Amino acid sequence: MTDWPEASTGDNRGGRYGRGSASARPESARVMRQVRRGQAPPPGPGPSAPPYGAGIPQQPSYVDGQGHGGQDGYDSGYNTGQVYGTPGGRGPGAGPGGRGPGRPAPDWRRRIKWTAVTVVTALVVTTVGTYFWADSKLNREVDLSKVIERPGAGEGTNYLIVGSDSREGMTAEQKKDLHTGSAEGKRTDSMMILHTGDNGSTLISLPRDSDVEIPSFVGSESGKKYEGTGRRVKLNAAYAEDGPELLVRTVEHNTGLRLDHYVEIGFAGFANIVDAVGGVEMDIPQDIKDPKSGADLKKGKQTLNGEDALAFVRTRYALAGSDLDRTKNQQKFLSALASQVATPSTVLNPFKLYPTMGAGLDSLIVDKDMGLFDLASMFWAMKSVSGGDGTSMNMPVSGSVGGNLKWDDAKVKQLVEQLKNDEKVTVSGN
């Protein structure tokens, strides 16, 4: 005997079930005896039997048809879609948000802390790396220890800023484009004293045609001492005779002001810095056309590239005041350049900052004691001058002697005393 309805144990199972039957009823449509716990569900219409045929009895349910167990509370869980008996199907032991058993909630405070540590570390490493990279590029060629008979130090810091007509490293095409000519060696094209202190910054231009005395000095290369003879020359002749050290010695001797640092930049370096920073906006006071400098500029606000900027600061023959007017233009431009370099759009943009730093540091010549912080202080002081927090002026001039500009001795003495004491400058220049 078997429990298979209307079937036999042999291969011939009748016309409705076995293999080869014409009937569409599958073999799986078999009924197993069920053991039902508790009371039977109340009578009433129930789900219709599956269309397996008239001979298949309807299977009893474990539940009451509403997803609830019988009298003893048994619930298979299949009618509710629950898995392992947990609400929402999250599995046994699942925590809030569907996390698996034993998985703790994310520690967001810890994550934020380590993210901040990583960012700060990256910034420190980048800053330190940039510092050493920049420091290694400074050309510390000027030895101020060779300067003799120096004035006593005063309050604040004094920089001698020199623009030279050096053509070193320039190609023939660059010399042509920048209208620099091809003269050998180098001479000073502009000279300024920048004083920084607690009472604002003061930028003083020294006309290169200033009448000065060459004092006794020690040769920068020979080490030999040359006694002063009272010889008077134009200021730029001191640089041409024995370089930066004699220029510093001459300025200190004729002013009585001690110079703490020396900074020099040549033609090519100047133009490269301007181009690296993306140009400098200037308000040109008048139309300027000067074949010697290459300037061809219209009056009004405009952005000067490196070539135009160099032509602008070198122009003298197209200006009514000649060298005195040129020094004023140089002050305005250098202050505007420093202001442009110090803007967030440059400092916070590595694609602009590093080319600007590279162009500037490659072309600067400084004294052996100059550090990056000293250089940064100089640029910020020049920026403050352009922003109206400082003073810009020419060295006071009283007339001319043999074609050279004679300084006003009384005003120069007062000016130097105010700088030495780091007082607010009240002296006016030309």
Side-chain angles (χ1 to χ4, degrees):
M1 293 294 290
T2 69
D3 292 332
W4 301 104
E6 300 184 31
S8 66
T9 59
D11 290 338
N12 185 6
R13 296 176 181 173
R16 290 179 298 175
Y17 292 103
R19 290 190 295 267
S21 170
S23 172
R25 296 171 184 171
E27 285 185 312
S28 60
R30 296 173 292 191
V31 178
M32 298 183 67
R33 291 177 179 173
Q34 309 290 329
V35 178
R36 184 173 58 197
R37 300 179 183 182
Q39 277 188 326
S48 61
Y52 296 149
I56 307 301
Q58 179 176 339
Q59 297 186 29
S61 172
Y62 288 106
V63 295
D64 60 5
Q66 302 298 321
H68 304 290
Q71 196 171 30
D72 59 358
Y74 176 79
D75 186 352
S76 69
Y78 291 107
N79 288 344
T80 64
Q82 297 174 0
V83 180
Y84 305 125
T86 59
R90 291 194 294 268
R99 291 183 295 276
R103 185 176 179 182
D107 188 343
W108 289 108
R109 293 181 63 181
R110 181 182 177 85
R111 291 185 180 184
I112 293 172
K113 171 187 173 182
W114 282 109
T115 299
V117 169
T118 301
V119 171
V120 170
T121 301
L123 287 175
V124 170
V125 170
T126 301
T127 302
V128 172
T130 299
Y131 175 86
F132 283 105
W133 166 77
D135 188 72
S136 68
K137 295 179 76 67
L138 275 179
N139 300 309
R140 297 182 173 94
E141 300 178 5
V142 180
D143 189 356
L144 296 184
S145 67
K146 295 179 180 179
V147 180
I148 62 173
E149 302 175 22
R150 308 193 67 186
E155 300 294 328
T157 304
N158 299 311
Y159 300 83
L160 181 61
I161 303 171
V162 175
S164 76
D165 64 359
S166 172
R167 298 156 179 85
E168 185 177 353
M170 295 175 65
T171 65
E173 184 177 358
Q174 288 175 319
K175 292 176 183 177
K176 180 180 178 181
D177 291 341
L178 297 177
H179 301 272
T180 64
S182 300
E184 295 297 326
K186 59 182 181 180
R187 288 150 293 277
T188 53
D189 205 58
S190 61
M191 291 161 284
M192 302 178 191
I193 294 174
L194 174 67
H195 173 83
T196 65
D198 295 334
N199 284 290
S201 302
T202 303
L203 187 61
I204 307 163
S205 286
L206 309 175
R208 67 178 193 173
D209 292 341
S210 297
D211 183 71
V212 295
E213 177 187 352
I214 297 292
S216 58
F217 67 97
V218 173
S220 58
E221 297 295 333
S222 66
K224 179 181 177 181
K225 185 174 181 179
Y226 298 89
E227 296 294 339
T229 61
R231 178 166 51 104
R232 302 196 72 87
V233 297
K234 292 181 179 180
L235 180 58
N236 63 344
Y239 182 96
E241 187 171 331
D242 198 53
E245 288 85 357
L246 179 55
L247 178 61
V248 170
R249 168 72 175 126
T250 302
V251 172
E252 288 187 342
H253 174 77
N254 286 269
T255 62
L257 182 68
R258 187 185 181 96
L259 301 174
D260 301 290
H261 292 294
Y262 177 92
V263 181
E264 177 186 328
I265 187 168
F267 281 162
F270 179 84
N272 289 339
I273 293 175
V274 174
D275 285 335
V277 82
V280 176
E281 186 179 69
M282 285 292 296
D283 189 357
I284 308 299
Q286 65 183 72
D287 290 348
I288 299 176
K289 190 171 183 64
D290 184 357
K292 291 191 175 183
S293 69
D296 188 4
L297 305 171
K298 299 298 182 183
K299 179 180 179 180
K301 286 187 177 181
Q302 54 200 282
T303 299
L304 303 182
N305 60 21
E307 180 181 340
D308 290 336
L310 183 59
F312 175 68
V313 299
R314 292 183 61 216
T315 294
R316 61 185 293 194
Y317 296 104
L319 305 176
S322 188
D323 201 37
L324 292 177
D325 282 351
R326 181 174 73 159
T327 56
K328 293 176 182 178
N329 286 342
Q330 290 171 345
Q331 288 178 349
K332 291 177 183 176
F333 186 85
L334 289 179
S335 295
L337 174 60
S339 181
Q340 177 69 26
V341 170
T343 57
S345 63
T346 299
V347 175
L348 301 179
N349 182 355
F351 297 102
K352 186 180 286 188
L353 175 63
Y354 285 99
T356 301
M357 291 178 64
L361 296 172
D362 278 340
S363 55
L364 288 178
I365 295 175
V366 300
D367 65 270
K368 293 184 180 296
D369 294 328
M370 173 73 84
L372 287 178
F373 290 112
D374 298 313
L375 197 60
S377 176
M378 184 192 80
F379 270 97
W380 280 106
M382 294 183 70
K383 179 179 181 293
S384 71
V385 171
S386 67
D389 294 331
T391 302
S392 61
M393 58 184 291
N394 279 326
M395 185 64 83
V397 173
S398 60
S400 62
V401 177
N404 297 344
L405 295 174
K406 179 175 173 50
W407 292 351
D408 187 320
D409 293 336
K411 286 187 175 182
V412 169
K413 182 178 180 180
Q414 183 182 0
L415 172 63
V416 169
E417 285 300 315
Q418 290 176 342
L419 296 177
K420 278 185 174 182
N421 298 322
D422 194 25
E423 300 172 351
K424 188 170 182 61
V425 172
T426 59
V427 179
S428 60
N430 298 83

